[in-house]
Amino acid sequence: MELLNRIIPNVMADTGRLFDSVLATLQMTVWSGAVMLVCGLTLGIVLTVTKDGGIMQQKAVYHVLDKIINICRSVPFVIFIAILLPVTKAIMGTKIGVRGVIVPLVVASVPFFARQVETALANVGHGPVEAAQSMGKSPLSIIFTVLLRESIPSIARGTTITLINLIGLTAMAGYVGAGGLGDYAITWGYNYGHYDIIWVSVLFVILIVSVIQFIGNLIAKKNTH
Amino acid sequence: MIKLKNICKTYMLAGQPVEAVKNVTLTINNEDIFGIIGFSGAGKSTLVRCINLLERPTSGQVLIDGKDITQFSAKELRAARRKIGMIFQHFNLMPSRTVLDNVVYALRGSGLSRAQMREKALKLLSLVEIADKAEAYPSNLSGGQKQRVAIARALANDPDILLCDEATSALDPQTTKQILSLLKKLNAEFGITIVLITHEMAAVKEICSRTAVMDHGSVIEEGETFSVFADPQAKLTKDFIATTSNLKKIHALLEDCPAAVPLNENDIVVKLTYTERSVSEPLISAVTQKFGVLLNIVFADVDIVQGAPIGGTVAVISGSREKITEAVKYLIDKNVAVEVIKGGAA
Ligand SMILES: Nc1ncnc2c1ncn2[C@@H]1O[C@H](COP(=O)(O)OP(=O)(O)O)[C@@H](O)[C@H]1O
Ligand SMILES: [Mg+2]
C-alpha cells in the first residue's frame, strides 16, 4: 500500500474513480459486444447464404447489405456518435452515459465483424456444404451444423479482433460522458499531467485485451482438429 | 431406374452462356454400375449433379423410379436425396467431426435414437473396413481412408443410388483399385445402382457394366462397356482408348526400327483385335495348325473388361500367300478384327 501510494499517488488518491472507469469499459465492451456478436453473426450468415452460389441465393439482398456494410465501415466512430444521437435516444432512452454509447459502438463494430464472419464461413468451402445438401439437409440445418460449426475457430479469432477494436472505440466514449479507461486517462491523467493515471489505464486495457485474446485462442485451439 | 430426359444446363459466365450439358437423354437401370467418361470440362460433373438436383437443369426431366424430381417441393426433394448417396473427388468430410460423427451426422433426422445411430454408423464403418479409425479426425486419414468414410456416410440412409464424381481421381492407382473393388462389392451385395463419373479410362474398364462417353456437353456414345471398348464408334472414344492402349506403338516401331521386325517376302504384319466376347478358343495355335502358317507374336496388349479379353495382338504371319489369305479369312470368321499393318495384298 505504501509502495503503491508512492509510485501511483494520483491513482491511489481516488481509487473509486479507477474502479468506476474499469467498470464502465467492461460494461460498454460486454453490452455492445453481446449485441454485436448476435447482429454480426446474423449479418455474416445472411451475406454468405444470399451471395451468388450461396445456399439461399438472393442477389438483391446480398448487394444491398454489401453496400450498406461498405458505407458504414468508412464512417469514423465520432461521427457515428453524433449522427446516431436521435436513434440512441429512441432506443436507449438517453443520449449520455454507458447507455448512450452502446448504439454507436454496435453500429460501428457490426459491419467489421460481419465481414470477419463472412470470411470465416467462406473458408468452410463449398465441399462440406454440398455434401450436406446431397444428404438432404435443409439450408437452416446446414447453416448451424456445417457453416457455423466448421468455422468456430475462425469466428473465435474474428471475435477476438473485433472485441479488441471495440475496446479501442470505447476510449472515445468520454464524448458522451460514458467514462471508461480512455476518458479516465485523458481527463484525469493527461490534462493534469498525472502520468501515473495514464500508465495504470494502459495497464488495465492491456489486461482486458490479454484476457480476451487468451479466451479467443483457447476456443480456436479446442475446436481445431 | 434413373431416366434423364433432354437435360440441358446453361451457365451464365460473365454475361456469356456456357452450355455445360446439351440435351442429354440417358437411362440408367437398377443395379447397373454406369460409367460416364470424358475429358475434363466435358460436362460430366454438371450432368451427375443434375441427378440429385445439386444443379438444377435449365430444361429437361430427371425421373427417379418414374417420378420427375424436378417437380418436387423442397421437402420432397430432401427426402429423395436421402436415397441418393454421393461421394466426391475431394471427399468433403466435415473436419470438425470425428469419423464416426461424420457418419452419424448423415443419420440425423432419420428417427433413430442416438445409440442406434452410433451402432449403425459403426456397422457402416466396418463394412468399408475403416471402423478402427472411428474416433480419428479426417485430417489424420489418408485419401483412401477418407473416401471410405465418405462412402460409409453416403450409405447411411440406405440409398438406392450412389453417385460418384471423380471419386478415385485424387487417389494413387493402388488405392483407386481398392476403392473400385469396394464399390463393386457394394453393388453386388446390396444391388445399389452406381453412377461413376471419371476421366480415367481404367476406372470404367474395371467395374462399369455400361458406359457413356461425353464430349462438349453431349453424350456421343453409350452402350455395354465391353462394346464401347471393343468396337468404339466415335472418334473421341477411339482416342480415349488409345490413351490407355499400347498397340499404337507398333506403328512407330515398324517405321523407326524395321530391323526389330524382320520380314520375309510374303510375310504380313497384322493387328488382331477382339470385338466379341467369345475369344476363349486358342485361335493362334488353331491357325498355325489348320493352315500351316507361322504366327509370330511381336506385340500384345490385352486387357480384361467385364470378364472378357479386350485389346489385341500384333503378329507376323509367314507362309504361302494363299495360306495366309485363308488364315486371315478364318480369323475374320471368328470375329477377330484383322488390320494389315504392313506387307501383302490380303
Ligand atoms: N458454376 C459454373 N459456372 C459457370 N460455368 C460452369 C460452372 N460449372 C461448370 N461450368 C462449366 O461447364 C463445363 C462443364 O463442367 P463440368 O461439368 O465440371 O465438367 P467435367 O466434370 O466433365 O470436367 C465447363 O466448361 C465448366 O467451365
Ligand atoms: Mg468434374
Side-chain angles (χ1 to χ4, degrees), chain B residues 43-310:
Chain B
K44 310 176 297 289
S45 295
T46 307
L47 183 66
V48 80
R49 292 155 57 84
C50 283
I51 298 178
N52 59 1
L53 296 192
L54 279 185
E55 214 67 79
R56 243 174 214 281
T58 313
S59 64
Q61 293 175 301
V62 181
L63 301 162
I64 308 263
D65 296 327
K67 291 197 198 91
D68 184 0
I69 62 167
T70 62
Q71 303 299 320
F72 277 14
S73 69
K75 200 171 162 213
E76 288 171 316
L77 176 61
R78 288 202 293 274
R81 280 180 178 162
R82 296 176 81 88
K83 291 292 171 192
I84 309 175
M86 188 166 192
I87 58 175
F88 307 84
Q89 177 170 7
H90 298 296
F91 325 116
N92 296 353
L93 298 175
M94 318 269 171
S96 76
R97 298 175 196 272
T98 62
V99 163
L100 184 69
D101 285 340
N102 263 279
V103 183
V104 166
Y105 177 67
L107 283 165
R108 282 204 207 164
S110 60
L112 298 179
S113 73
R114 189 114 199 112
Q116 286 170 318
M117 288 198 281
R118 269 184 70 92
E119 194 187 335
K120 183 163 184 192
L122 274 170
K123 215 183 271 172
L124 286 162
L125 290 172
S126 312
L127 179 71
V128 300
E129 292 163 34
I130 191 86
D132 54 323
K133 298 280 183 196
E135 297 305 329
Y137 284 92
S139 58
N140 298 322
L141 302 185
S142 70
Q145 291 173 324
K146 283 184 199 169
Q147 199 59 288
R148 284 175 190 274
V149 177
I151 292 172
R153 180 177 72 170
L155 295 177
N157 293 297
D158 310 305
D160 309 312
I161 298 166
L162 180 63
L163 307 176
C164 312
D165 188 359
E166 303 275 10
T168 58
S169 301
L171 306 175
D172 60 71
Q174 184 73 24
T175 316
T176 294
K177 271 216 152 77
Q178 292 168 356
I179 295 292
L180 289 175
S181 52
L182 173 61
L183 292 176
K184 200 169 184 169
K185 179 179 109 175
L186 296 171
N187 170 261
E189 274 181 32
F190 305 107
I192 186 167
T193 308
I194 296 180
V195 183
L196 190 94
I197 302 297
T198 182
H199 65 273
E200 297 169 317
M201 210 62 190
V204 170
K205 270 202 297 213
E206 193 90 10
I207 63 166
C208 294
S209 47
R210 290 184 75 80
T211 296
V213 183
M214 268 191 98
D215 185 32
H216 290 101
S218 307
V219 168
I220 53 169
E221 186 154 358
E222 192 233 323
E224 225 189 318
T225 304
F226 185 85
S227 333
V228 171
F229 275 82
D231 193 16
Q233 301 299 312
K235 165 142 186 355
L236 181 101
T237 318
K238 290 179 189 168
D239 290 349
F240 229 115
I241 292 168
T243 61
T244 65
S245 166
N246 286 317
L247 280 180
K248 281 256 144 94
K249 287 184 193 158
I250 191 66
H251 294 281
L253 184 68
L254 285 174
E255 256 157 49
D256 300 345
C257 183
V261 188
L263 295 179
N264 292 322
E265 200 192 332
N266 279 334
D267 293 0
I268 61 169
V269 182
V270 291
K271 183 167 107 184
L272 311 173
T273 41
Y274 309 125
T275 59
E276 292 280 311
R277 282 160 174 262
S278 59
V279 213
S280 45
E281 292 172 56
L283 283 174
I284 305 271
S285 55
V287 166
T288 312
Q289 284 171 11
K290 255 201 172 97
F291 304 99
V293 292
L294 280 176
L295 251 118
N296 177 21
I297 295 174
V298 292
F299 200 89
D301 184 26
V302 178
D303 223 325
I304 304 294
V305 173
Q306 288 189 281
I310 203 163

Side-chain angles (χ1 to χ4, degrees), chain B residues 8-22 41 46 58:
Chain B
C8 295
K9 176 73 193 186
T10 308
Y11 291 109
M12 292 307 283
L13 202 63
Q16 294 291 314
V18 179
E19 286 186 80
V21 174
K22 297 177 202 160
T46 307
T58 313

